[in-house]
Amino acid sequence: MCHIMTLGQRGPRIRRWLHKIGPMRPRRLGAELGKSVVYQETNGETRVEIKESVRGQDIFIIQTIPRDVNTAVMELLIMAYALKTACARNIIGVIPYFPYSKQSKMRKRGSIVCKLLASMLAKAGLTHIITMDLHQKEIQGFFSFPVDNLRASPFLLQYIQEEIPNYRNAVIVAKSPDAAKRAQSYAERLRLGLAVIHGEAQCTELDMDDGRHSPPMVKNATVHPGLELPLMMAKEKPPITVVGDVGGRIAIIVDDIIDDVESFVAAAEILKERGAYKIYVMATHGILSAEAPRLIEESTIDEVVVTNTVPHEVQKLQCPKIKTVDISLILSEAIRRIHNGESMAYLFRNITVDD
């Protein structure tokens, strides 16, 4: 029997949440929700109790990351370790949005936190992970066990075709050169034009210091005679330009994560100035932190479309422009196939590296 457990929700509320907006639904699989209790001690420590035998079973831990990311991670680690101690056969983490995925590169004297989290999950006892649209696909290499990185693009493409009137008059927009590959993939599948916004004032991930200036420069440092390395010229961004025609068109900005929305709002204003008459923003993970709902409501953006990998019902109440695409079907099918030992190839039909 397949057991499905969720963290961060308790008692009857679990079933209501899964039925209403949750990305994973036990009823799709004909499975029962596992019996477990997760709560915080008065001193802030997390405690997990497994209320039934899991010996020799396949256990799927469903963890959607809420606002308190660190608590959610600890719940996941402790739950996995508790199941490992209870002799579960396989422990599969279903983590639609993988936390710390933006910290997957070395920055100055920081650390690659995503790799640390991958090691912690393996040590806790996880044997497999199902996730969706990792921020960097290379993150899969951090894990010592299988990772199925599912894609939300088929659902978002379907939304464009069915819910955006006159989408044939649209153009797919990358709000920075970093997002050009994803935008190109959408444009090619929908047979639409492509535009790229270039010259943002803020730094992108690729412009950030990678930490290779360590140790720091020392005054009057001696240089080996004859060692004259060429000096790397500093980057200078050009004025903001839109590469591609958006005049009289519907602009659809695509990305994987929408959290702080200032860059999306700025991109929308530029597109309006260039003649776009309607602007949509589409992303897999709608984290929508801080003042995001208010900024979206006050902006020139007409609609923000995200999937339900991350709960965002409160933000939807604050901003009616936010729409949700349900991706529970593909996650449920992934769980079923893994439990039955079936191939996952069907879930990756026509998927390319850029998707």
Side-chain angles (χ1 to χ4, degrees):
M1 178 181 176
C2 173
H3 290 251
I4 299 180
M5 298 187 179
T6 186
L7 307 179
Q9 306 285 340
R10 299 172 182 81
R13 185 182 175 192
I14 298 176
R15 296 182 183 275
R16 289 201 299 271
W17 179 76
L18 289 171
H19 174 75
K20 186 177 180 184
I21 63 167
M24 280 64 66
R25 298 179 182 177
R27 62 177 183 169
R28 286 191 185 274
L29 300 166
E32 295 180 0
L33 197 64
K35 298 175 182 177
S36 64
V37 177
V38 181
Y39 60 94
Q40 302 289 321
E41 298 277 11
T42 54
N43 61 359
E45 293 182 356
T46 299
R47 184 175 291 273
V48 172
E49 295 178 4
I50 310 299
K51 297 295 187 179
E52 62 182 317
S53 174
V54 296
R55 183 179 295 272
Q57 302 292 329
D58 289 337
I59 310 297
F60 293 84
I61 306 176
I62 302 169
Q63 179 63 305
T64 52
I65 303 301
R67 290 288 168 266
D68 191 351
V69 177
N70 294 329
T71 298
V73 169
M74 283 306 300
E75 288 179 352
L76 178 60
L77 292 170
I78 296 171
M79 174 69 86
Y81 190 67
L83 294 168
K84 177 183 177 181
T85 306
C87 300
R89 181 177 63 178
N90 292 308
I91 306 170
I92 300 96
V94 184
I95 314 170
Y97 169 65
F98 194 80
Y100 289 99
S101 58
K102 284 191 173 183
Q103 298 189 47
S104 58
K105 296 180 181 179
M106 180 63 74
R107 303 293 184 211
K108 296 184 178 179
R109 294 177 184 82
S111 60
I112 305 176
V113 182
C114 192
K115 180 172 175 57
L116 171 63
L117 181 55
S119 301
M120 293 167 64
L121 292 172
K123 189 68 175 178
L126 263 71
T127 59
H128 197 139
I129 279 182
I130 303 170
T131 187
M132 180 163 280
D133 281 338
L134 288 170
H135 186 57
Q136 299 288 343
K137 296 175 180 64
E138 295 79 1
I139 290 174
Q140 289 179 264
F142 293 164
F143 295 86
S144 57
F145 50 79
V147 176
D148 285 309
N149 182 27
L150 303 175
R151 305 296 198 277
S153 52
F155 296 89
L156 295 176
L157 289 167
Q158 183 181 37
Y159 184 93
I160 292 173
Q161 293 174 310
E162 296 179 356
E163 302 296 333
I164 297 181
N166 196 23
Y167 83 92
R168 289 293 183 187
N169 188 39
V171 59
I172 304 298
V173 180
K175 71 178 179 68
S176 70
D178 299 349
K181 283 188 176 181
R182 181 183 300 272
Q184 180 181 0
S185 175
Y186 275 69
E188 290 176 352
R189 294 182 186 282
L190 293 168
R191 279 64 172 174
L192 298 177
L194 175 67
V196 180
I197 299 175
H198 181 48
E200 299 95 333
Q202 73 276 8
C203 292
T204 63
E205 287 187 28
L206 297 182
D207 295 330
M208 295 177 66
D209 192 344
D210 67 359
R212 295 179 187 177
H213 296 303
S214 182
M217 298 293 290
V218 180
K219 289 184 178 180
N220 301 323
T222 58
V223 179
H224 191 278
L227 182 62
E228 295 182 3
L229 297 176
L231 180 64
M232 176 64 76
M233 297 176 62
K235 287 186 177 181
E236 183 176 343
K237 290 203 171 187
I240 295 177
T241 58
V242 178
V243 182
D245 181 21
V246 298
R249 313 284 286 278
I250 300 170
I252 304 175
I253 305 172
V254 297
D255 213 333
D256 62 329
I257 300 173
I258 177 167
D259 188 1
D260 296 325
V261 299
E262 285 86 353
S263 60
F264 291 93
V265 171
E269 291 174 354
I270 295 166
L271 293 170
K272 276 288 186 183
E273 292 174 1
R274 298 298 191 277
Y277 71 89
K278 205 163 189 180
I279 298 171
Y280 291 81
V281 175
M282 309 199 76
T284 302
H285 310 295
I287 301 175
L288 303 168
S289 300
E291 296 295 314
R294 180 183 62 82
L295 293 174
I296 292 170
E297 185 66 24
E298 296 173 355
S299 73
T300 57
I301 297 172
D302 292 283
E303 196 169 284
V304 173
V305 183
V306 294
T307 73
N308 54 345
T309 55
V310 178
H312 53 267
E313 288 303 291
V314 174
Q315 289 88 335
K316 287 182 70 175
L317 293 174
Q318 296 171 344
C319 177
K321 290 183 180 181
I322 300 172
K323 308 297 181 183
T324 306
V325 175
D326 180 25
I327 44 82
S328 63
L329 179 62
I330 191 171
L331 289 169
S332 300
E333 181 62 14
I335 291 172
R336 190 193 68 79
R337 286 174 176 268
I338 289 172
H339 178 60
N340 293 329
E342 299 177 19
S343 171
M344 297 285 283
Y346 178 78
L347 305 182
F348 292 93
R349 293 173 303 166
N350 300 322
I351 296 295
T352 65
V353 175
D354 296 332
D355 289 319

